[in-house]
Amino acid sequence: MPRVTFTQHIARHVPCPARDVEGRTVREALDAYFTVEPAVRGYVLDEQGVVRKHVVIFVDGAQATDRTRLGDAVGEGSVIYVMQALSGG
């Protein structure tokens, strides 16, 4: 089962414990996670279900490329890591 984890920065705003979930894509895994932890959804996805501008998702250490459909594949032992994106100038 893929494991979904979050940074402490997100955990400051909403409880988001790491969980093993079902899913073959980032979307499926996150949807399974949000079924159990619905309050986290709004911190990760916007109203259209797209990754928020200041959130980045990694799968097994590589940045997920599909921020709209979240179609990046995940494996049985994958780790999906959700964190705040850094920006600045």
Side-chain angles (χ1 to χ4, degrees):
M1 292 182 144
R3 185 165 187 81
V4 179
T5 63
F6 297 83
T7 61
Q8 290 180 344
H9 292 95
I10 295 173
R12 285 189 335 207
H13 303 287
V14 63
C16 48
R19 293 194 179 276
D20 294 331
V21 296
E22 295 287 338
R24 294 178 293 159
T25 65
V26 172
R27 170 73 67 193
E28 289 176 1
L30 288 179
D31 284 348
Y33 186 91
F34 299 147
T35 298
V36 179
E37 302 287 349
V40 182
R41 186 182 195 283
Y43 284 89
V44 178
L45 305 178
D46 67 13
E47 297 76 22
Q48 287 77 41
V50 174
V51 177
R52 290 191 176 277
K53 182 178 179 180
H54 293 292
V55 172
V56 66
I57 298 173
F58 287 85
V59 177
D60 298 330
Q63 188 171 343
T65 58
D66 185 356
R67 294 180 58 84
T68 304
R69 292 187 345 254
L70 301 171
D72 294 83
V74 297
E76 280 294 313
S78 288
V79 175
I80 300 165
Y81 191 67
V82 182
M83 63 183 287
Q84 288 178 302
L86 299 177
S87 62

